[in-house]
Amino acid sequence: MRIDIITVLPELLESPFSHSMMKRAQSKGLLEVHLHNLRKWAVNEYGQVDDYQYGGGAGMVMMCEPLVNATEELSTQRRYDEIIYLTPDGNMLDQKTANYFSLKENLLVICGHYKGVDERIREHFVTKEISIGDYVLSGGELAAAVLVDAIGRLIPGVLNDETSALFDSFQDNLVAPPVYTRPADFRGWKVPDILLSGDPKKIDDWRQEQSLRRTHERRPGLLKGDE
Ligand code: ADE
């Protein structure tokens, strides 16, 4: 899979993709992440990519021309399955959406900044609008890092134990069961006996039951299907 990201702050995104799982995905050749500085398509020699909004009001708006030129130039090199715009008023990112994107070949991600992008970009270029939560970040970059991480780890072969993503929280609309490691007794706080029993069937049943109980207590909306 290849993900191209258009941003005014490529430096902000260099680190998140250079470590751990994202690094492994790229060094295994399973994921390519390419950062493109929007200023390369600036409208003048001062690197301008934003302007005042029509109708007045505080905050700058990202202009059509640089974004269109960037998108069209990149689109001549490959066909994008989706052009994603990160915005707090987009559809909420969830595991189902991450699964959906993880099956694509080429994604183009546009990070908004300032007041966001000129509406015409959203109307004519963007195919999916994604939010990572009901709060406003200073730009789409951190949201892009979250999105790419959520997608990247689902690409087959990226995780060491391929099955482990299957047991992540939310994969089946349940949150994950509790996990423990050594020692079995820490300050008198004991690991549940069943996990030490060596009986895989009993352990599976216990995990399933814990998942259900936790989902019920913490995220009942997932069980009702309204989250
Ligand atoms: N840009 C600013 N805030 C955002 C959010 N919550 N999700 C996605 N993109 C954003």
Side-chain angles (χ1 to χ4, degrees):
M1 165 184 279
R2 174 178 169 126
I3 304 181
D4 289 276
I5 304 179
I6 300 175
T7 165
V8 289
L9 281 174
E11 307 81 16
L12 196 56
L13 283 170
E14 270 155 24
S15 174
F17 303 133
S18 312
H19 302 280
S20 178
M21 211 74 88
M22 291 302 98
K23 182 177 173 191
R24 190 182 325 146
Q26 290 171 90
S27 51
K28 279 185 170 177
L30 299 168
L31 173 67
E32 277 181 46
V33 180
H34 295 265
L35 303 174
H36 305 277
N37 192 337
L38 183 63
R39 294 199 196 279
K40 187 179 152 202
W41 293 274
V43 292
N44 57 31
E45 70 213 77
Y46 307 109
Q48 187 183 357
V49 293
D50 60 336
D51 211 336
Y52 296 102
Q53 53 177 312
Y54 277 121
M60 305 293 272
V61 174
M62 290 168 79
M63 303 168 82
C64 282
E65 195 182 328
L67 282 167
V68 166
N69 287 341
T71 305
E72 286 184 344
E73 186 179 322
L74 294 171
S75 300
T76 59
Q77 291 152 27
R78 64 198 54 78
R79 204 195 72 76
Y80 289 104
D81 299 300
E82 300 285 359
I83 299 183
I84 303 168
Y85 174 52
L86 290 157
T87 173
D89 62 355
N91 291 318
M92 199 68 77
L93 177 64
D94 58 13
Q95 198 63 28
K96 193 165 148 242
T97 316
N99 284 336
Y100 168 82
F101 286 135
S102 75
L103 301 173
K104 304 293 175 192
E105 272 306 303
N106 293 301
L107 298 176
L108 179 60
V109 176
I110 298 175
C111 301
H113 226 83
Y114 320 111
K115 274 275 162 199
V117 301
D118 188 300
E119 188 64 21
R120 290 165 290 185
I121 296 294
R122 300 173 70 161
E123 282 169 13
H124 299 287
F125 283 88
V126 170
T127 60
K128 292 271 187 300
E129 299 189 329
I130 299 292
S131 163
I132 63 158
D134 282 341
Y135 41 82
V136 179
L137 303 165
S138 359
E141 285 75 16
L142 296 179
V146 168
L147 175 70
V148 172
D149 190 290
I151 297 171
R153 60 194 296 287
L154 293 173
I155 300 170
V158 170
L159 294 183
N160 260 348
D161 174 359
E162 261 208 52
T163 58
S164 69
L166 296 177
F167 299 107
D168 282 348
S169 277
F170 310 115
Q171 276 304 359
D172 45 9
N173 271 356
L174 295 177
V175 303
V179 291
Y180 300 85
T181 187
R182 288 188 291 181
D185 183 342
F186 178 74
R187 295 186 177 172
W189 305 330
K190 303 224 169 63
V191 170
D193 283 341
I194 199 137
L195 294 177
L196 312 175
S197 69
D199 182 333
K201 166 86 175 73
K202 276 194 186 150
I203 293 173
D204 269 1
D205 288 349
W206 180 86
R207 287 183 170 148
Q208 184 67 19
E209 182 208 309
Q210 290 289 318
S211 272
L212 260 170
R213 179 181 307 187
R214 285 203 156 185
T215 311
H216 210 70
E217 285 165 6
R218 299 171 186 207
R219 301 290 300 275
L222 288 175
L223 293 173
K224 290 190 216 121
D226 53 24
E227 264 190 59

